[in-house]
C-alpha cells in the first residue's frame, strides 16, 4: 500500500461572482497572469508507485483575481491508492481547501456550475530522459485557464474551509519501459469574494440605547492574507438605530438591528448590531412585524411581553421564546394597592347578553336595506298600537313583543300607561305578576329618565328619531322580558331595544313603529319560570339598562331615520355594544358627581354613599365584564364581533382609553361615532384620525402598565387616565372561584429560558402577557414566530418594563 502523499498546489484562480454559460472559458482568451506563477513539479516513479513533488518557485500574492498559493497555505492535493497495469498508472486524488472562504460557490450557499477544477498547467512528460510518451487518460474535459485546451479534473462540490473533497481517480497512459514522469497542476474555483474582503470585529454585537462599541477592520485578500495600510470608511444601514464614526465607533441610537459596513476600495465587510431599548420602570416599547419578530432587552430588569392579534378574523398560533432570561419569582401581576376591607360584589344574577347578541345578529341579518317609508311621521295604514301623540295615564296599548323573528309573527301584549314624562312614556304589561312596581315607582323611573338619563345619553350621542310623533320614548315593563330567562337561571335579561320598531308597518308588519324599549318586570314571587325579581332588584338594574338601550336606539334611529340617506348599515355589534356600555359609564359620572380623566381610585368611589351607589348602579357591571377579559385576554378581543361578556368589557375599556387619548370634548367624540354612515374600524379611524389598530396594541399595554408601580412613568399613551383599575379591583371582592385567586385579574405567564411558549390569540385585539427577567450586565433575545415563520403584520408587539 502506498504511503499517503500530500502534494502542494501552487496556483489557485478564483473566479468572479458571475456564473459562466456552458462552454464559456474560466477566464477570457487573452488572460495573462499578473504575478509570477509558482510551479509545482511532481515526479512519479512508475514501478514503485512513488511520487515526489517539489516547488520550483515561491508562491506570491494575488492580482486580478489570481491567487498563488504555497505549500500548506492555500490548498492540499492528496494522492493515495496508486495502481500500475499494462500501460497505465492511476492514483486517487483529493483536494483540501485551506483558505477562509468556500471554494466552488459565488454566494456561499449554491454550487457554481464549474465547482472546483484542477487544470494541468504542464502536461506529463518522461522524467527519466527516455523520451517515452505519457499522457492523461481520463480527464473530465478541456478549457482555457492559462492557455487553450488545458485538461482538467472536476470536483463537483462546494469545499468549505478545511474541508477535503471526495477522491477522484486520475489515470495516465505510460509507454512500456517508462521509469518516471512529471507534471504540474493549477486549481481553479469560484469564490464569493474574488477581490478579498474586510473582517469586522466583533461581527455581531448587542448594546443598549446610548451605548457604544468600537469596531475594528482588517482588510484581506481573496485567500485571507492581511493587506496592510488600507484606508477604511464606515457606514450604517439605519442611522435611527445606530451610527458609526470615522474610526469605527458605533453608538446605539434606538431599538432595532442595523448593519455596519466597512469599505476599502472593492472590498467590504459588515457587522450586525442589535440595539436594545432602555426602559424606565413602567415604560413601554412597541414593535410591529417584521421588526417585532426578534428583539433584545437590557439586563437587571423584569419585562412583560405583550403580543396582540389585530386581525379582523381568524386566530393565530404564536411561539414566543426567550434566550438569556430567567423566570421571575415574584407574584405574577403587581398588586401594589392591596386596599383594606374589600367590598363584596353581589352574588345575585348577572345580565344575560346571549339574548341581546342573538337579537343584534338577527337585526343585521334579517333587516337589511333601506326602509321605504323612512322618516314618515304619523303614518297611517296597518300598525299595532302606538297612537301618534302623547297618551294619557291609564291609556292602553297593544304592543308586539315577539323576538324569535323580525317581521313575520306577533306576540301581542296589552300595556297600560303608568307615567308620562317629558321624554319618556312608562307602560306596564297588564299581565305582569302581582306585587310589582307601584305607580310611584313608575313615576320615579320617568323622572330619572327625564332629569338624568335623557340629558346624559343624548348629550353624548344625539337625540333619537320620533316616528310616533310624541317626542318621547316608550319603556314597556313586560313579563315577556322575564320569559326570556329559563327556569333556575343565574342570569337575567334586563331589557332590550329592537330596531324592527323603527321600520314602517308596510316594510315590517310586526313593527310597533315607534321608539321603545322592553324592560324587565318585577316578579317578587317568581311567577315567571320561578325566577324571583323583587322591586329593589328591578330598581337597581333598570336605570343602567335604560341608558344602555337608549344608546342602541339613538344609534340605530339616527342612522336609519335622521342622518339620511340611510345606507342600510347598522353599526357593527362590538362597537354598538361598546358605546352602550359607555352610556352606562357616563351615567355613573353624572350620578357620582365626578368626571372622566381623573384616574379614579377606590377612595373616590367607595368612601361616600353617592359615588358608591352610582358605581354599583352604573359602573360595576362594566368592571365585571372587563374582568372576564382580563382573566383570559388571549381568547377575546375588544373588536371581536361576538358580543360576549369579555368582548363587551374590553371594548368598553378600549373606547374609554380611545376617548382619553384622543382628547378634546368628550361629547364630540361620542357624537361623531354615532352620527355617521361609517361602521366598525372605518368609523373609529375616521373619528380618531389615524389607523386604530395600533391603538388596540397600545390599549393592551396600558391595561398592564398603568398604575403598575409607585414611581413608574409610562408614556401617556400607555396609561388609563380615567380609571385606576388596579386600585379599584383591589377593593372589590369578587368570588374568585376557579378563575383567579388574585387582586388584579390580569395575570401574565412566565417564559422559560430557551423554551418556546405557545399561545393562540383570537382575533379582534386579543392579547397574551408573558413575563421574564434579565440579569444584571446581560442582554436577552426574544423571538416571536408563527409556525417557525415571521408572524403577519396584524401581530403587534409591546414590551413593558415592570421592575
Amino acid at each position: 500500500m502506498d504511503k499517503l502523499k500530500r502534494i502542494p498546489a501552487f496556483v489557485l484562480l478564483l473566479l468572479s461572482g458571475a456564473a459562466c454559460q456552458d462552454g464559456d472559458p474560466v477566464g477570457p482568451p487573452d488572460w495573462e497572469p499578473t504575478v509570477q506563477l509558482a510551479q509545482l513539479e511532481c515526479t512519479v516513479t512508475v514501478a514503485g508507485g512513488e511520487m515526489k513533488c517539489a516547488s520550483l518557485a515561491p508562491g506570491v500574492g494575488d492580482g486580478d483575481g489570481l491567487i498563488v498559493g504555497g505549500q500548506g497555505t492555500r490548498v492540499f492535493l492528496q494522492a493515495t491508492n496508486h495502481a500500475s497495469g499494462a500501460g497505465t498508472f492511476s492514483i486517487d486524488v483529493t483536494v483540501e481547501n485551506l483558505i477562509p472562504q468556500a471554494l466552488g460557490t459565488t454566494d456561499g450557499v449554491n454550487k457554481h456550475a464549474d465547482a472546483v477544477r484542477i487544470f494541468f498547467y504542464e502536461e506529463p512528460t518522461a522524467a527519466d530522459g527516455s523520451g517515452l510518451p505519457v499522457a492523461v487518460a481520463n480527464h473530465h474535459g478541456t478549457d482555457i485557464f492559462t492557455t487553450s485546451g488545458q485538461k482538467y479534473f472536476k470536483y463537483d462540490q462546494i469545499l468549505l474551509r478545511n474541508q477535503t473533497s471526495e477522491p477522484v481517480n486520475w489515470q495516465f497512459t505510460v509507454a512500456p519501459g517508462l521509469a518516471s514522469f512529471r507534471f504540474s497542476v493549477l486549481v481553479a474555483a469560484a469564490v464569493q469574494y474574488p477581490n478579498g474582503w474586510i473582517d469586522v470585529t466583533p461581527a455581531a454585537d448587542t448594546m443598549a440605547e446610548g451605548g457604544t462599541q468600537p469596531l475594528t477592520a482588517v482588510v484581506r485578500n481573496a485567500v485571507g492574507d492581511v493587506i496592510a495600510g488600507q484606508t477604511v470608511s464606515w457606514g450604517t444601514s439605519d442611522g435611527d438605530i445606530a451610527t458609526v464614526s470615522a474610526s469605527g465607533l458605533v453608538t446605539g441610537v434606538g431599538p432595532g438591528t442595523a448593519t455596519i459596513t466597512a469599505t476599502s476600495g472593492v472590498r467590504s465587510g459588515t457587522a450586525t448590531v442589535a440595539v436594545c431599548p432602555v426602559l424606565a420602570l413602567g415604560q413601554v416599547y412597541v414593535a410591529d412585524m417584521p421588526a417585532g419578530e426578534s428583539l433584545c432587552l437590557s439586563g437587571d430588569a423584569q419585562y412583560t411581553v405583550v403580543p396582540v392579534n389585530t386581525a379582523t378574523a381568524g386566530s393565530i398560533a404564536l411561539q414566543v421564546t426567550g434566550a438569556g432570561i430567567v423566570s421571575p419569582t415574584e407574584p405574577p401581576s403587581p398588586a401594589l394597592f392591596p386596599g383594606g376591607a374589600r367590598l363584596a360584589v353581589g352574588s345575585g344574577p348577572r345580565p344575560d347578553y346571549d339574548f341581546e347578541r342573538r337579537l343584534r345578529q338577527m337585526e343585521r341579518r334579517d333587516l337589511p336595506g333601506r326602509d321605504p317609508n323612512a322618516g314618515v311621521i304619523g303614518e297611517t295604514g296597518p300598525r299595532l298600537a302606538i297612537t301618534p301623540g302623547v297618551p294619557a295615564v291609564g291609556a292602553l296599548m297593544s304592543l308586539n313583543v315577539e323576538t324569535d323573528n323580525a317581521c313575520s309573527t306577533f306576540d301581542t301584549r296589552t300595556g297600560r300607561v303608568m307615567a308620562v314624562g317629558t321624554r319618556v312614556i312608562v307602560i306596564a304589561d297588564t299581565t305582569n305578576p302581582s306585587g310589582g312596581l307601584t305607580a310611584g315607582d313608575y313615576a320615579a323611573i320617568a323622572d330619572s329618565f327625564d332629569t338624568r338619563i335623557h340629558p346624559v345619553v343624548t348629550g353624548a350621542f344625539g337625540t333619537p328619531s320620533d316616528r310616533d310623533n310624541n317626542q318621547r320614548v316608550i319603556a314597556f315593563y313586560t313579563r315577556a322580558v322575564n320569559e326570556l330567562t329559563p327556569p333556575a337561571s343565574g342570569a337575567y335579561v334586563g331589557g332590550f331595544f329592537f330596531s324592527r320598531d323603527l321600520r314602517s308597518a308596510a316594510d315590517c308588519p310586526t313593527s310597533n313603529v315607534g321608539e321603545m324599549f322592553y324592560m324587565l318586570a318585577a316578579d317578587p314571587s317568581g311567577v315567571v319560570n320561578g325566577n324571583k325579581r323583587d322591586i329593589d332588584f328591578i330598581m337597581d338594574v333598570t336605570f343602567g339598562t335604560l341608558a344602555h338601550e337608549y344608546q342602541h336606539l339613538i344609534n340605530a334611529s339616527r342612522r336609519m331615520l335622521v342622518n339620511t340617506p340611510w345606507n342600510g348599515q347598522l353599526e357593527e355589534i362590538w362597537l354598538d355594544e361598546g358605546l352602550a356600555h359607555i352610556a352606562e359609564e357616563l351615567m355613573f359620572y353624572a350620578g357620582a358627581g365626578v368626571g372622566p380623566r381623573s384616574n379614579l381610585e377606590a377612595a373616590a368611589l367607595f368612601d361616600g354613599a353617592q359615588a358608591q351607589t352610582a358605581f354599583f348602579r352604573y359602573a360595576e357591571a362594566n368592571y365585571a365584564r372587563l374582568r372576564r377579559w382580563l382573566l383570559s385576554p388571549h381568547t377575546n378581543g375588544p373588536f371581536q364581533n361576538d358580543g360576549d361578556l369579555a368582548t363587551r368589557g374590553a371594548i368598553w375599556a378600549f373606547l374609554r382609553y380611545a376617548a382619553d387619548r384622543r382628547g378634546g370634548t368628550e361629547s364630540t367624540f361620542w357624537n361623531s361615532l354615532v352620527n355617521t354612515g361609517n361602521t366598525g374600524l372605518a368609523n373609529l379611524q375616521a373619528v380618531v384620525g389615524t389607523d386604530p389598530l395600533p391603538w388596540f396594541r397600545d390599549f393592551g399595554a396600558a391595561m398592564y402598565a398603568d398604575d403598575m408601580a409607585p414611581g413608574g412613568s409610562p408614556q401617556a399613551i400607555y396609561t388609563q387616565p380615567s380609571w385606576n383599575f388596579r386600585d379599584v379591583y383591589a377593593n372589590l371582592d369578587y368570588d374568585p372561584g376557579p378563575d383567579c385567586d388574585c387582586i388584579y385579574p390580569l395575570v401574565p405567564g412566565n417564559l422559560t429560558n430557551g423554551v418556546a411558549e405557545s399561545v393562540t390569540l383570537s382575533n379582534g385585539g386579543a392579547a397574551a402577557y408573558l413575563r421574564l427577567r434579565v440579569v444584571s450586565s446581560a442582554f436577552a433575545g426574544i423571538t416571536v414566530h408563527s409556525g417557525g415563520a415571521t408572524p403577519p403584520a396584524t401581530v403587534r408587539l409591546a414590551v413593558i418594563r415592570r421592575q
Side-chain angles (χ1 to χ4, degrees):
M1 182 131 186
D2 250 8
K3 182 180 179 182
L4 177 67
K5 306 288 186 181
R6 295 201 83 159
I7 309 171
F10 282 80
V11 182
L12 173 63
L13 176 65
L14 301 181
L15 301 180
S16 68
C20 300
Q21 301 294 324
D22 289 346
D24 285 351
V26 174
D30 60 352
W31 178 88
E32 292 184 2
T34 59
V35 297
Q36 178 186 0
L37 293 177
Q39 189 176 28
L40 172 66
E41 185 175 73
C42 297
T43 302
V44 177
T45 303
V46 177
E50 184 179 20
M51 182 163 60
K52 294 182 179 180
C53 299
S55 177
L56 299 183
V60 293
D62 75 313
D64 197 27
L66 178 69
I67 300 173
V68 179
Q71 182 173 5
T73 60
R74 304 291 184 261
V75 292
F76 270 113
L77 300 187
Q78 298 181 357
T80 58
N81 301 330
H82 88 282
S84 298
T88 65
F89 178 85
S90 69
I91 53 175
D92 291 337
V93 181
T94 60
V95 57
E96 180 183 0
N97 177 22
L98 298 179
I99 69 171
Q101 58 178 328
L103 300 180
T105 177
T106 59
D107 60 10
V109 176
N110 299 296
K111 184 182 66 176
H112 187 273
D114 290 330
V116 180
R117 297 189 293 180
I118 300 179
F119 282 85
F120 281 83
Y121 178 64
E122 291 183 346
E123 291 282 344
T125 59
D128 56 3
S130 65
L132 293 173
V134 58
V136 181
N138 67 333
H139 55 280
H140 294 154
T142 61
D143 210 334
I144 298 174
F145 186 45
T146 58
T147 187
S148 62
Q150 289 178 297
K151 298 172 183 176
Y152 64 84
F153 286 103
K154 184 175 181 179
Y155 291 76
D156 198 21
Q157 63 184 107
I158 296 175
L159 295 180
L160 305 179
R161 185 176 190 178
N162 297 322
Q163 182 178 359
T164 300
S165 71
E166 295 296 321
V168 172
N169 183 253
W170 294 13
Q171 296 180 13
F172 302 87
T173 59
V174 295
L178 179 65
S180 61
F181 63 91
R182 64 187 178 190
F183 58 86
S184 64
V185 291
L186 312 172
V187 180
V191 292
Q192 190 170 3
Y193 306 108
N195 298 308
W197 68 92
I198 300 177
D199 275 339
V200 180
T201 305
D205 194 47
T206 301
M207 65 177 64
E209 279 183 278
T212 60
Q213 170 65 57
L215 300 180
T216 59
V218 177
V219 183
R220 298 184 183 275
N221 63 19
V223 293
D225 295 335
V226 176
I227 305 176
Q230 302 298 299
T231 300
V232 175
S233 59
W234 295 90
T236 178
S237 64
D238 193 333
D240 291 333
I241 295 174
T243 60
V244 60
S245 71
S247 63
L249 182 67
V250 178
T251 300
V253 177
T257 301
T259 300
I260 307 299
T261 302
T263 304
S264 179
V266 296
R267 301 177 177 93
S268 65
T270 62
T272 301
V273 175
V275 180
C276 308
V278 175
L279 304 177
L281 181 63
Q283 287 195 314
V284 179
Y285 168 69
V286 297
D288 293 337
M289 299 299 155
E293 176 187 12
S294 178
L295 55 94
C296 62
L297 298 173
S298 304
D300 196 23
Q302 282 196 40
Y303 301 92
T304 298
V305 178
V306 186
V308 179
N309 181 17
T310 60
T312 56
S315 60
I316 185 168
L318 299 178
Q319 301 82 46
V320 184
T321 307
I325 67 172
V326 295
S327 296
T329 57
E330 295 80 2
S333 189
L336 303 175
F337 305 97
R342 302 172 71 187
L343 294 173
V345 179
S347 58
R350 283 289 185 180
D352 175 11
Y353 293 109
D354 285 341
F355 164 76
E356 188 173 18
R357 180 177 68 245
R358 294 192 299 271
L359 190 69
R360 300 287 166 251
Q361 290 170 340
M362 179 167 54
E363 287 177 325
R364 287 150 179 81
R365 182 186 67 242
D366 298 341
L367 296 172
R370 177 179 172 82
D371 184 344
N373 294 302
V376 176
I377 297 175
E379 176 186 3
T380 60
R383 59 179 302 110
L384 279 177
I386 303 178
T387 303
V390 181
V393 173
L396 297 178
M397 293 186 186
S398 296
L399 301 172
N400 179 28
V401 298
E402 176 63 67
T403 57
D404 285 342
N405 58 73
C407 294
S408 59
T409 61
F410 295 91
D411 180 359
T412 303
R413 308 291 175 99
T414 299
R416 177 175 285 109
V417 176
M418 302 300 296
V420 177
T422 58
R423 292 298 182 181
V424 67
I425 300 167
V426 182
I427 299 177
D429 191 329
T430 58
T431 63
N432 281 345
S434 61
L437 299 181
T438 65
D441 293 328
Y442 289 122
I445 291 171
D447 181 66
S448 290
F449 190 92
D450 288 343
T451 59
R452 290 189 177 181
I453 296 175
H454 176 80
V456 169
V457 179
T458 59
F461 304 110
T463 56
S465 60
D466 190 21
R467 292 221 64 160
D468 45 13
N469 198 27
N470 58 23
Q471 298 183 346
R472 292 162 176 80
V473 297
I474 290 175
F476 184 28
Y477 285 79
T478 172
R479 63 179 288 157
V481 176
N482 303 59
E483 292 166 5
L484 296 171
T485 302
S489 174
Y492 68 92
V493 176
F496 61 90
F497 154 78
F498 196 0
S499 66
R500 167 200 65 192
D501 294 321
L502 298 177
R503 305 178 79 88
S504 68
D507 179 50
C508 182
T510 61
S511 171
N512 288 309
V513 195
E515 293 75 21
M516 65 177 295
F517 314 120
Y518 304 80
M519 300 298 294
L520 183 70
D523 183 6
S525 302
V527 171
V528 180
N529 294 334
N531 295 312
K532 294 182 179 181
R533 309 293 185 226
D534 60 32
I535 293 175
D536 287 341
F537 177 79
I538 296 299
M539 297 302 283
D540 280 340
V541 304
T542 197
F543 300 107
T545 302
L546 286 170
H548 179 105
E549 300 304 328
Y550 203 15
Q551 189 285 142
H552 285 315
L553 189 157
I554 293 169
N555 202 322
S557 68
R558 293 192 70 83
R559 288 173 179 272
M560 295 174 65
L561 303 170
V562 179
N563 302 324
T564 56
W566 159 237
N567 65 4
Q569 298 295 316
L570 294 173
E571 182 55 88
E572 292 187 22
I573 294 174
W574 61 270
L575 186 49
D576 195 13
E577 294 295 352
L579 290 169
H581 293 307
I582 286 291
E584 299 173 57
E585 182 191 20
L586 297 177
M587 287 300 302
F588 156 75
Y589 292 135
V594 298
R597 305 175 193 174
S598 53
N599 200 36
L600 291 171
E601 298 180 351
L605 301 177
F606 306 138
D607 287 353
Q610 179 182 349
Q612 182 169 323
T613 298
F615 178 83
F616 281 100
R617 173 168 286 180
Y618 297 111
E620 186 280 323
N622 279 335
Y623 267 73
R625 288 181 287 264
L626 178 61
R627 184 173 182 269
R628 303 306 307 174
W629 181 76
L630 293 171
L631 288 169
S632 187
H634 63 286
T635 60
N636 295 92
F639 63 101
Q640 238 175 35
N641 216 25
D642 55 15
D644 67 7
L645 287 173
T647 295
R648 287 167 173 266
I651 189 55
W652 160 66
F654 173 79
L655 288 175
R656 168 45 55 199
Y657 164 85
D660 293 346
R661 177 171 174 174
R662 182 70 176 83
T665 305
E666 279 227 350
S667 60
T668 300
F669 183 81
W670 305 126
N671 197 275
S672 298
L673 286 168
V674 170
N675 291 278
T676 176
N678 296 322
T679 62
L681 292 174
N683 190 5
L684 269 179
Q685 180 160 339
V687 173
V688 302
T690 187
D691 180 3
L693 294 181
W695 286 34
F696 287 99
R697 173 203 58 205
D698 300 342
F699 161 76
M703 288 305 300
Y704 190 83
D706 184 50
D707 294 310
M708 182 178 65
S713 55
Q715 305 93 309
I717 63 172
Y718 306 115
T719 64
Q720 297 283 357
S722 289
W723 296 97
N724 186 331
F725 286 113
R726 290 183 182 274
D727 189 53
V728 176
Y729 276 115
N731 287 270
L732 294 175
D733 187 10
Y734 288 91
D735 179 10
D739 297 325
C740 167
D741 186 11
C742 53
I743 293 177
Y744 188 55
L746 181 54
V747 181
N750 285 351
L751 286 177
T752 301
N753 188 49
V755 178
E757 180 72 22
S758 296
V759 293
T760 298
L761 299 182
S762 188
N763 61 72
Y769 295 79
L770 302 166
R771 65 184 189 140
L772 58 101
R773 174 181 283 281
V774 186
V775 299
S776 179
S777 302
F779 294 99
I782 305 298
T783 58
V784 181
H785 287 149
S786 179
T790 303
T794 52
V795 174
R796 302 169 187 268
L797 196 71
V799 179
I800 306 159
R801 182 179 174 186
R802 51 163 294 184
Q803 280 191 2

